[in-house]
Amino acid sequence: MSIEDAVADTGCQDRQIRHERGQRAVFCGLTSIVWLHRKIQDAFFLVVGSRTCAHLIQSAAGVMIFAEPRFGTAIIEERDLAGLADLNEELDRVVNRLLERRPDIKMLFLVASCPSEVIKLDLDRAAQRLSADFAGRVGIFSYSGSGLDTTFTQGEDTCLAALVPVLPEAKREAARSLMVVGTLADVVEDQFARLFREIGLENVHFFPPRDSQHLPPVGENTHFLLAQPFLTETARTLQRRGARHIPAPFPLGEEGTTGWLRAAARTFGIPDERFEAVVAAPRDRARRALSAHKAKLEGKSIFFFPDSQLEVPLARFASRELDMKLAEVGTPYLHRQHLAAELDLLHKDLIIYEGQDVENQLDRCREARPDLTVCGLGLANPLEAEGLATKWSIELLFTPIQGYDQAGDLAELFARPLNRRARLEV
Amino acid sequence: MQLTVWTYEGPPHIGAMRVATAMTGVHYVLHAPQGDTYADLLFTMIERRDKRPPVTYTTFQARDLGTDTAELFQSALADAYERFKPQAMLVGSSCTAELIQDDPGGLADALHLPVPVIPLELPAYQKKENWGAAETFYRIVRTLASPRQGQERPKNERPLANLLGPTALGFRHRDDIIEITRLLESMGIGVNVVAPLGASPADIQRIPDADFNVVLYPEHALSAAQWLERAFKQPYTKTVPIGVNATRAFIAEVAQIAGVSADVPERTRLPWYSRSVDSTYLTGKRVFIFGDATHALAAARVASKELGFQVVGLGTYSREFAREIRAAAAEYGVEPLITDDYLEVEAAVRDSNPELVLGTQMERHIAKRLGIPCAVISAPVHVQDFPARYSPQMGFEGANVLFDTWVHPLMMGLEEHLLRMFREDFEFQEAPSHLGAAPQAAKEAPAPRELAVAAPAEVAPAHQAAETPATPSALVWLADAEAELRKIPFFVRGKAKRNTERYAAEKGISNITVETLYDAKAHFSR
Ligand code: SF4
Ligand code: SF4
């Protein structure tokens, strides 16, 4: 089935999807703060949680280039729980001190964690209360990054969904506009903006914006294209504001990027010839960049542990553009509708695992002995020690991989562990 | 409620994991939500462990809260036992599970597993990582250690010691135990058990067989050693053998406890290196020290007595040992810094104007930003704290390592000065510096390599920044003052510039004159 048909086709009903329940080995949604705070440059992310939450973000963020990063944790202590301190007052105190110290902050997210949810600390109310105090100075929002209801990238989904209600209303009579939804590296965003312009789409906005002053407008004339596959809630809230979703594959690889751009072009009635003329050169560039890696990767098997929800589009890219064999594709959550175009492009015999039982999955991985395993940092060295080549999945979130000019980089991420093994004689 | 940007210690269950991961034959079932599984990467990435930590997380979710998280815990425990067949199990709650109060210990009892199951109560909202490690080790020892079975040991057998305290993710624990084992061997003392690192539950059981305990890391082993002394009359050592003098004192203490000779060959170059003439330039170097209490105290002693540095700051994040740090700080005439607030530490480093920082990975970042040389002396650790080579901190070889790792950053600083001094010479052709390439701007987005695991990208070579600190925009150096500054010897010029600007800023002076320069000099001369 070709990509064009796949975009039109919505269903992939006969595919086998297996659900697993057991121990999961994924981060919680707090982790997405690591890239969100780099994207929205005047925002501060204040986790209301425990020492564990602080330790998680620190371990995921790693470097401390910045003495005072734009994220932190308000750690709940014994006296708060014992009722010796009023939690809401304590939170107000922390927020006041923080905002006094950091006048550069224009947007504050109160991020709920498992502990704050279990003790039913109402951060939505806290955000409203504090918003009144800081009206006109700092926008204050809340969302959940708790491990009880979000895995890893879902933290971006809940964050963006919390922002949708405050997006400016696009005028009814305004021209139709395109909104690209989901964090992309700035360099990728700029590339897409250029391409859209050349295709003939002028009215294009990106969400999340680079700072709080550039929230994109939304309304009935807004059509949105998801740049990331994990934005279930965000899409729903945008639709509630009248915006319309453009079904498309995700912009990974030459094929995915073309399908993604084309879906937008068609929605806006751009003639196919014009579209093809604009993308011909970058498509060709992407194919050339891919070819060197493809020579090394074709026929190799790849196994995806569930992690970021990018697994299905990545599997499609690996199998169709690099001719790799899919040993297993696991994903923490599968949004059938958003991934419809992707699923249509995958071989129909492929079984997709939704959810996780890490021990069983490790057994299957050892059994399959794939040439490359895409997994989290906790599993990588142990699998390497068992002789399996691995790629850290988190790198796929922190490296620009979307778009034509990153297609080669994406392939290189898969090729690198194999190249390294080929070099080493020790 | 406390605002935290970076933390020195994780929650107490991380301490329990450090003990469980250090051991063999144990498995820890932790009642925790999915995100808490991040902890695995600390061990597999930072320490490059080739196995996952022996930990099963129940990973309960919101939907489980309404139904039965207790049942989920029990099935996870039963499955983990079946799969891993450990000799002993640990069970406990993370911060979130503590709030839902499922009582892992009670739930485990109901399963009647055929191995000892040790419940851990680690109050996550009060305590931290090191306390969690100590408590876990104590519980394990208390549950498993049992009096010697069968006959007494033959009378003429050599004395036996246990080495207590080394854990996974410890700062050089791996090498310290080798060094101290060798040292004890050279005194005719055998090592009975090293624990928790490398010990199995059966080994823990044998702990009482030894004549005494060596407490390598009081943060982790003191409570267990105190209990062993009460229960089995095993004395324990109080000296931590870091540095030449402490190693000598340790030998004397051990000799006395074990009734052996203290006559041990001293295989260390530190005393001579420190007395050799080229070390003269180390005299009175201002050093700021921060770390866990054990390493901070030791570093202060070695720095002042064995290297001739001046301690200008001393602190710890281990509140449990605040008293010891306060006493030592009084001795060095500095304010003790007992805090786990990273920003407070940074301010203290800046204010004390040190020439060398001895700290944790956190202070390494502070020092880098301030352009001050730094060596790491304590956990929290990073991947570079697990060097491929043998690199203990304890014993005589440890003293050699301390000399090298503390002095080299300063020496490199000196060489950089020389390069700078000749820079104006016509022969000077951008000589390559061993400190690396030209400074690169900090990357905006964290590159994947920098994630939690690898050496963070250097923001700028430290010494470069040290000697040419950027002038804050509000300050202006008048021409005569600037000319005067250039007359100051190169190796103190950067410091003079920094101090003058600081002084000017404090006094609200915006135009720096020659007078300002000398006023500042007088102000800061101590
Ligand atoms: S790709 Fe195959 S399985 Fe999926 S919808 Fe098309 S025909 Fe059905
Ligand atoms: S899983 Fe929950 S408790 Fe753990 S780090 Fe994430 S939000 Fe915090």
Side-chain angles (χ1 to χ4, degrees):
Chain A
M1 174 181 283
S2 81
I3 184 112
E4 278 94 328
D5 302 330
V7 173
D9 193 332
T10 44
C12 189
Q13 310 302 338
D14 47 351
R15 173 175 303 283
Q16 217 189 330
I17 293 167
R18 285 201 194 140
H19 301 268
E20 275 201 310
R21 266 197 85 176
Q23 181 187 320
R24 302 170 69 118
V26 285
F27 292 135
C28 59
L30 296 184
T31 322
S32 44
I33 292 173
V34 177
W35 64 86
L36 283 170
H37 92 282
R38 299 304 308 143
K39 184 72 197 179
I40 314 175
Q41 301 203 348
D42 56 0
F44 191 102
F45 293 79
L46 180 64
V47 177
V48 182
S50 65
R51 181 164 299 279
T52 315
C53 308
H55 203 229
L56 163 113
I57 304 178
Q58 171 164 337
S59 306
V63 247
M64 291 185 283
I65 293 177
F66 314 100
E68 289 196 65
R70 279 180 290 99
F71 56 80
T73 307
I75 296 184
I76 300 169
E77 294 167 310
E78 187 65 19
R79 41 194 296 278
D80 304 313
L81 296 174
L84 295 176
D86 179 273
L87 263 173
N88 285 306
E89 282 170 21
E90 285 288 297
L91 181 60
D92 290 6
R93 180 180 60 81
V94 167
V95 167
N96 273 291
R97 267 244 307 271
L98 172 74
L99 292 178
E100 245 163 59
R101 194 185 166 103
R102 304 289 302 268
D104 52 318
I105 300 304
K106 297 282 174 273
M107 202 182 234
L108 174 69
F109 291 98
L110 304 178
V111 189
S113 66
C114 307
S116 79
E117 290 191 345
V118 171
I119 63 172
K120 303 210 159 48
L121 181 60
D122 190 341
L123 293 184
D124 293 338
R125 283 233 332 259
Q128 280 168 20
R129 180 176 71 234
L130 286 157
S131 285
D133 296 351
F134 290 93
R137 247 191 72 198
V138 185
I140 301 180
F141 308 91
S142 75
Y143 73 90
S144 172
S146 125
L148 295 172
D149 34 42
T150 61
T151 59
F152 196 24
T153 48
Q154 283 175 320
E156 172 168 339
D157 186 27
T158 45
C159 174
L160 298 189
L163 277 181
V164 170
V166 299
L167 297 184
E169 183 72 40
K171 302 230 165 46
R172 207 164 258 275
E173 61 283 4
R176 294 203 304 162
S177 68
L178 174 67
M179 187 196 284
V180 177
V181 185
T183 300
L184 292 168
D186 288 355
V187 51
V188 175
E189 217 171 87
D190 293 343
Q191 289 169 10
F192 283 146
R194 263 195 313 272
L195 279 170
F196 283 127
R197 210 160 36 236
E198 286 166 26
I199 293 167
L201 294 180
E202 288 300 336
N203 215 347
V204 181
H205 304 279
F206 291 87
F207 180 52
R210 297 183 194 187
D211 63 59
S212 60
Q213 306 311 308
H214 292 90
L215 289 171
V218 64
E220 273 158 28
N221 287 330
T222 307
H223 297 261
F224 68 91
L225 198 51
L226 295 176
Q228 302 283 6
F230 42 75
L231 298 170
T232 310
E233 266 312 298
T234 309
R236 223 196 318 267
T237 44
L238 283 169
Q239 279 162 336
R240 240 180 268 137
R241 292 204 52 184
R244 274 167 283 176
H245 174 221
I246 306 173
F250 290 90
L252 296 171
E254 181 273 314
E255 185 186 39
T257 304
T258 305
W260 188 75
L261 291 169
R262 181 184 281 126
R266 288 196 174 160
T267 302
F268 287 85
I270 306 292
D272 276 1
E273 306 76 63
R274 171 155 188 196
F275 173 79
E276 300 295 346
V278 170
V279 298
R283 279 182 84 167
D284 186 52
R285 219 165 39 229
R287 282 198 211 103
R288 268 183 285 129
L290 283 171
S291 62
H293 302 297
K294 180 172 171 175
K296 289 187 185 140
L297 290 169
E298 63 190 339
K300 298 271 195 292
S301 58
I302 185 167
F303 190 112
F304 288 90
F305 275 76
D307 197 58
S308 61
Q309 294 188 43
L310 280 164
E311 294 81 10
V312 170
L314 287 171
R316 180 264 302 156
F317 167 73
S319 68
R320 293 177 61 101
E321 297 190 43
L322 300 171
D323 284 344
M324 296 182 80
K325 287 195 288 226
L326 301 176
E328 174 165 332
V329 178
T331 186
Y333 177 72
L334 187 75
H335 193 292
R336 285 157 188 67
Q337 206 194 334
H338 289 171
L339 285 170
E342 295 285 350
L343 291 169
D344 290 352
L345 292 169
L346 283 169
H347 196 277
K348 78 163 187 280
D349 296 336
L350 175 75
I351 302 165
I352 293 176
Y353 285 82
E354 188 182 15
Q356 184 171 31
D357 179 328
V358 71
E359 302 294 354
N360 288 340
Q361 198 168 29
L362 280 165
D363 288 346
R364 292 197 300 273
C365 184
R366 291 181 182 117
E367 170 87 29
R369 294 207 68 79
D371 295 303
L372 185 65
T373 303
V374 183
C375 62
L377 293 168
L379 297 177
N381 267 335
L383 286 174
E384 291 278 352
E386 292 181 31
L388 295 170
T390 60
K391 171 79 256 147
W392 312 335
S393 45
I394 199 165
E395 202 168 352
L396 297 160
L397 265 300
F398 293 145
T399 313
I401 55 170
Q402 290 82 3
Y404 290 125
D405 291 309
Q406 283 66 240
D409 302 347
L410 176 55
E412 201 270 338
L413 285 181
F414 292 145
R416 196 183 302 162
L418 302 180
N419 290 345
R420 176 153 186 81
R421 294 187 145 229
R423 262 168 203 265
L424 293 182
E425 288 181 32
V426 65
Chain B
M1 201 175 261
Q2 202 202 342
L3 177 64
T4 305
V5 284
W6 305 110
T7 69
Y8 286 90
E9 290 181 80
H13 72 256
I14 297 289
M17 283 186 70
R18 287 177 59 181
V19 171
T21 306
M23 291 180 66
T24 62
V26 295
H27 197 88
Y28 182 19
V29 177
L30 182 66
H31 207 16
Q34 58 189 350
D36 293 11
T37 60
Y38 79 88
D40 283 359
L41 79 85
L42 304 173
F43 298 90
T44 63
M45 298 307 288
I46 296 178
E47 202 172 359
R48 301 178 211 254
R49 286 201 164 248
D50 60 0
K51 289 198 184 63
R52 292 163 64 213
V55 179
T56 294
Y57 308 80
T58 57
T59 62
F60 55 86
Q61 293 176 270
R63 59 165 181 238
D64 302 314
L65 290 181
T67 56
D68 206 350
T69 49
E71 202 173 287
L72 181 64
F73 177 83
Q74 280 185 317
S75 65
L77 179 60
D79 289 352
Y81 174 75
E82 271 313 307
R83 182 176 275 269
F84 299 104
K85 291 275 176 353
Q87 297 158 37
M89 298 191 85
L90 306 170
V91 296
S93 296
S94 75
C95 53
T96 308
E98 186 181 331
L99 297 171
I100 59 178
Q101 301 183 326
D102 273 340
D103 183 23
L107 291 169
D109 281 348
L111 285 184
H112 303 293
L113 294 176
V115 292
V117 177
I118 304 166
L120 300 175
E121 303 251 342
L122 308 173
Y125 298 90
Q126 283 173 37
K127 301 292 190 182
K128 288 181 277 189
E129 179 176 334
N130 278 335
W131 185 90
E135 172 69 9
T136 302
F137 185 49
Y138 164 71
R139 288 286 154 203
I140 292 174
V141 168
R142 225 193 134 132
T143 310
L144 300 177
S146 62
R148 189 179 180 73
Q149 310 288 315
Q151 313 126 311
E152 285 296 297
R153 255 172 46 216
K155 276 265 176 294
N156 54 358
E157 203 185 271
R158 59 186 189 158
L160 289 178
N162 300 310
L163 304 187
L164 304 185
T167 63
L169 276 184
F171 185 70
R172 306 293 164 80
H173 293 188
R174 177 196 76 186
D175 298 342
D176 285 345
I177 56 183
I178 297 172
E179 186 64 20
I180 297 306
T181 300
R182 283 182 192 158
L183 180 64
L184 293 175
E185 294 279 349
S186 74
M187 299 175 73
I189 297 167
V191 170
N192 177 49
V193 170
V194 176
L197 192 57
S200 66
D203 293 329
I204 302 289
Q205 198 176 348
R206 295 191 295 112
I207 283 181
D209 291 2
D211 299 290
F212 68 104
N213 289 313
V214 170
V215 175
L216 292 180
Y217 312 101
E219 275 87 348
H220 300 153
L222 190 58
S223 45
Q226 285 169 338
W227 181 78
L228 287 165
E229 182 175 52
R230 285 198 301 277
F232 299 102
K233 310 215 162 19
Q234 279 179 319
Y236 64 89
T237 57
K238 317 275 188 306
T239 315
V240 178
I242 299 179
V244 174
N245 291 326
T247 301
R248 287 177 185 147
F250 174 79
I251 291 168
E253 187 185 9
V254 166
Q256 220 226 328
I257 295 177
V260 298
S261 159
D263 193 12
V264 177
E266 293 193 356
R267 289 196 187 83
T268 171
R269 297 190 179 90
L270 186 146
W272 167 239
Y273 274 32
S274 210
R275 286 176 189 280
S276 68
V277 286
D278 60 58
S279 292
T280 313
Y281 81 96
L282 301 176
T283 314
K285 283 275 175 203
R286 302 168 58 80
V287 56
F288 182 95
I289 299 167
F290 194 85
D292 67 21
T294 299
H295 288 90
L297 289 169
R301 272 194 310 266
V302 174
S304 70
K305 299 279 191 284
E306 300 181 21
L307 295 171
F309 293 163
Q310 165 106 28
V311 176
V312 297
L314 176 62
T316 185
Y317 56 83
S318 325
R319 285 183 194 280
E320 294 89 346
F321 294 83
R323 203 157 42 90
E324 287 84 343
I325 290 283
R326 287 209 179 88
E331 218 175 287
Y332 300 109
V334 297
E335 272 297 304
L337 180 64
I338 317 290
T339 184
D340 58 356
D341 181 344
Y342 175 78
L343 297 177
E344 208 180 310
V345 179
E346 180 171 46
V349 173
R350 190 178 287 127
D351 290 346
S352 62
N353 222 14
E355 292 161 282
L356 176 68
V357 172
L358 300 176
T360 72
Q361 280 297 329
M362 316 273 272
E363 284 67 46
R364 198 175 67 82
H365 285 277
I366 294 174
K368 202 191 313 180
R369 268 194 301 274
L370 297 177
I372 304 168
C374 176
V376 174
I377 57 158
S378 156
V381 287
H382 224 297
V383 70
Q384 61 266 54
D385 297 318
F386 293 88
R389 65 178 191 280
Y390 179 59
S391 187
Q393 299 287 288
M394 292 186 174
F396 291 123
E397 183 58 22
N400 293 338
V401 169
L402 297 187
F403 185 92
D404 288 349
T405 45
W406 298 3
V407 168
H408 281 178
L410 291 168
M411 280 207 314
M412 300 220 271
L414 201 67
E415 279 179 40
E416 280 295 292
H417 285 300
L418 293 174
L419 283 181
R420 212 160 296 282
M421 184 161 72
F422 294 118
R423 183 169 49 187
E424 252 111 83
D425 290 14
F426 68 93
E427 293 103 330
F428 187 83
Q429 294 286 335
E430 286 298 313
S433 155
H434 60 203
L435 284 182
Q440 280 182 348
K443 284 200 199 123
E444 273 296 271
R449 263 193 326 293
E450 301 164 19
L451 285 171
V453 288
E458 296 295 315
V459 174
H463 314 289
Q464 212 133 335
E467 301 328 317
T468 49
T471 303
S473 53
L475 293 174
V476 179
W477 281 80
L478 298 184
D480 57 340
E482 208 170 352
E484 195 71 17
L485 181 67
R486 251 182 261 121
K487 292 180 210 156
I488 293 177
F490 67 90
F491 48 89
V492 286
R493 195 181 301 147
K495 193 169 144 195
K497 180 164 189 282
R498 233 178 310 135
N499 281 351
T500 308
E501 284 167 0
R502 217 176 112 210
Y503 176 81
E506 278 166 18
K507 298 277 169 212
I509 297 167
S510 53
N511 288 336
I512 297 176
T513 62
V514 179
E515 277 67 41
T516 322
L517 180 66
Y518 287 109
D519 285 346
K521 182 165 185 290
H523 180 78
F524 285 110
S525 68
R526 315 185 192 202

